[in-house]
């Protein structure tokens, strides 16, 4: 039973999510609001318009992180910040990131409509480039804010399309002048505590028939760029033992990455999400292949071991000159063949994260007051909360998504789950903001 003092407006939240999803809507029912494109700008502009209707002030920092602020009665207190991200994957869903920002907007709307005063200010933030699809690595906006990257590194981040993050930020008019974070905290906007509502992006809550998850932490993440330089050759006239086939080498590395995760089921995760062939012709042996690897595990030591196994495999006998195997092996080998050795470049490490006990307690009791018994869950996906947790007490709240599907245009949630997450978040914010 919802014993919340101030009910959120689930209808309004659902309408707002649908309106936002119109910005960058794709024919397949998802969204494409890739970071710092004109569509991302349109999503940002819409959010600004909505919060200005509530009398919030809007602040943009040097990384384009976008803050809406509602003053509290105690000017000395640092704000309770709710947030997530408005950028999406190229073939993203309507709710990844958008849900958390729109829940923050709904919290501001209820505070405004009910004329509720909070001691601490309340802010809602949309972080720049959470997805990292266009400007790897992921979560750069919150990363610079938390001092994990310097501002120069953030702005210089090269896009997969030849642009830089800083140029595109300026082009869309969101290169703010507010200082954005620093390792020593100088200039960083104060954050009293941070709450990120998000869809689970996995199957656990739905399978358990649970509406709300208190996210106790996030698994560790390692990203790699891999380049494989072989030799392009004629598909017909080049005998197998004379080849240096980059595609076969890529296939071996891809299968081993899968094995490395498989040996650590169910927590271990490995993904080769992109693979680009240099020559790309059906009757030419691939001369060069570039691919990416994403490894994840909740335990830092296990993730380190996965890293070591991946690099050791690339250094091992599965590449370079291939011995002709005795017939006994049964595997058809081509004696004299050589396979190009993958060059693996680690580009990002996000350590496993444990969230703040007090913030999680506020979220759990907020969920109970909203009429739901939350369960504890670890996040498989990375979030801006990972970096924010390094500079402020942080917690997350999950709602289920259908079939655990995300980073997919078919991503969907139930209106009642959206409302439940918003009510629990509102209740927690009221507690945290006094
Ligand atoms: O990759 C991630 O986990 C996040 O969705 N960007
Ligand atoms: Mn997300
Ligand atoms: Mn995502």
């Amino acid at each position: 039973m919802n014993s919340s003092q101030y009910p959120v407006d689930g209808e309004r939240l659902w309408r707002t999510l649908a309106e936002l999803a119109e910005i960058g809507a794709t024919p397949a029912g998802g969204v494409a609001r890739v970071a710092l494109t004109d569509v991302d700008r349109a999503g940002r502009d819409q959010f600004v318009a909505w919060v200005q209707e509530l009398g919030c002030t809007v602040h943009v920092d040097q990384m384009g992180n976008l803050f809406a602020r509602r003053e509290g009665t105690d000017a000395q207190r640092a704000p309770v910040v709710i947030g997530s991200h408005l950028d999406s994957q190229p073939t993203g869903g309507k709710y990844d990131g958008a849900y958390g920002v729109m829940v923050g907007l709904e919290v501001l709307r209820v505070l405004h409509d009910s004329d509720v005063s909070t001691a601490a200010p309340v802010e809602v933030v949309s972080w720049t480039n959470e997805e990292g699809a266009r400007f790897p690595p992921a979560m750069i906006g919150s990363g610079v804010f938390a001092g994990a990257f310097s501002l120069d590194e953030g702005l210089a981040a090269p896009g997969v399309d030849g642009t830089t993050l800083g140029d595109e930020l300026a082009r869309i008019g969101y290169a703010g002048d507010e200082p954005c974070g620093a390792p020593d905290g100088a200039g960083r906007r104060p954050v009293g505590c941070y709450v990120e509502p998000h869809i689970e992006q996995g199957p656990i809550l739905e399978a358990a028939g649970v509406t709300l998850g208190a996210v106790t932490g996030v698994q560790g993440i390692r990203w790699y760029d891999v380049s494989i330089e072989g030799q392009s050759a004629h598909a017909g006239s080049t005998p197998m033992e004379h080849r240096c086939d980059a595609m076969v080498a890529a296939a071996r590395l891809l299968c081993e990455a899968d094995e490395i995760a498989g040996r650590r089921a169910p927590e271990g995760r490995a993904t080769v999400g992109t693979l680009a062939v240099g020559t790309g012709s059906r009757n030419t042996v691939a001369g060069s292949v570039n691919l990416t690897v994403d490894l994840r595990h909740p335990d830092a030591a296990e993730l380190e071991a996965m890293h070591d196994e991946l690099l050791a495999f690339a250094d091992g006998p599965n590449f370079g000159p291939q011995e002709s195997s005795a017939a006994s092996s049964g595997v058809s080998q081509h004696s004299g063949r050589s396979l190009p050795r993958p060059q693996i470049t680690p580009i990002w490490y996000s350590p496993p994260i444990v969230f703040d006990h007090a913030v999680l307690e506020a979220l759990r009791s907020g969920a109970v007051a909203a009429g739901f018994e939350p369960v504890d869950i670890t996040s498989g996906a990375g979030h801006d909360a990972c970096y924010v947790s390094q500079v402020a007490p942080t917690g997350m709240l999950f709602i289920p998504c259908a079939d655990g599907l995300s980073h997919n245009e078919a991503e969907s949630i139930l209106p009642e789950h959206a409302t439940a997450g918003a009510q629990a978040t509102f209740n927690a914010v009221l507690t945290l903001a006094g």
Side-chain angles (χ1 to χ4, degrees), residues 237-402:
S237 55
T238 312
M240 296 308 278
E241 59 271 18
H242 287 192
R243 296 182 178 201
C244 191
D245 189 332
M247 186 68 89
V248 173
R252 286 196 176 181
L253 188 74
L254 193 159
C255 291
E256 177 60 15
D258 190 58
E259 287 292 317
I260 288 171
R263 292 194 284 270
R264 293 168 174 84
E267 294 91 356
R269 309 269 155 87
T271 308
V272 173
T274 66
L275 185 148
V277 186
T279 44
S281 159
R282 69 176 64 232
N283 54 351
T284 295
V285 173
S288 68
V289 171
N290 289 306
L291 56 107
T292 57
V293 180
D294 174 319
L295 298 180
R296 306 205 187 192
H297 199 288
D299 177 284
E302 280 300 322
L303 185 58
E304 183 75 25
M306 293 169 78
H307 166 86
D308 293 343
E309 285 173 27
L310 183 75
L311 268 58
F313 184 78
D315 276 345
N318 282 283
F319 305 99
Q322 298 299 296
E323 298 303 313
S324 58
S325 65
S328 61
S329 76
V331 175
S332 66
Q333 292 279 352
H334 312 290
S335 63
R337 180 165 70 159
S338 172
L339 283 180
R341 199 170 288 286
Q343 299 304 314
I344 300 183
T345 309
I347 66 160
W348 182 44
Y349 171 52
S350 176
I353 299 290
V354 176
F355 286 138
D356 178 79
H357 177 74
V359 175
L360 283 175
E361 273 313 299
L363 285 166
R364 290 190 188 101
S365 47
V368 170
F372 300 92
E373 227 13 83
V375 296
D376 284 0
I377 185 171
T378 301
S379 175
H383 301 283
D384 292 305
C386 295
Y387 282 127
V388 183
S389 68
Q390 293 170 23
V391 295
T394 293
M396 290 188 75
L397 188 75
F398 274 173
I399 64 168
C401 52

Side-chain angles (χ1 to χ4, degrees), residues 85 87-89 96-97 130-131 198 201 381-383 406-407 411:
H85 59 94
D87 70 302
S88 78
Q89 286 285 324
D96 174 3
E130 188 280 343
E131 292 294 356
H198 205 287
Q201 299 181 294
H383 301 283
S406 183
H407 286 195
E411 183 183 276

Side-chain angles (χ1 to χ4, degrees), residues 197-221:
H198 205 287
I199 60 172
E200 180 199 333
Q201 299 181 294
I204 295 169
L205 292 179
E206 185 185 55
V210 171
T211 300
L212 296 176
V215 185
T216 54
V218 181
Q219 63 182 344
I221 307 174

